[in-house]
Amino acid sequence: MIAVLAEGSEQQRQTARDMAALITPRPGFTQHPLTVHAADHINDLVARADRYRMD
């Protein structure tokens, strides 16, 4: 996944970040650990992929 994101466009990486924001629990709702972990994991993958960009 890191390689795919590293080769992808900025729009594709932003879409991944947007998806992480969508699954993050809304204020006032229960913060389920797995949901929080999934969102953090997506953001981590994008950040790691940014280090491999050849721009």
Side-chain angles (χ1 to χ4, degrees), residues 2-49:
I2 293 169
V4 170
L5 288 167
E7 291 288 324
S9 67
E10 176 56 34
Q11 181 180 358
Q12 290 167 319
R13 290 190 313 283
Q14 185 58 48
T15 299
R17 290 184 200 101
D18 293 345
M19 290 191 70
L22 284 175
I23 64 172
T24 301
R26 306 297 186 267
F29 289 88
T30 302
Q31 300 280 323
H32 192 280
L34 292 177
T35 304
V36 173
H37 179 71
D40 288 344
H41 190 64
I42 292 170
N43 286 322
D44 182 58
L45 286 170
V46 174
R48 290 169 62 192

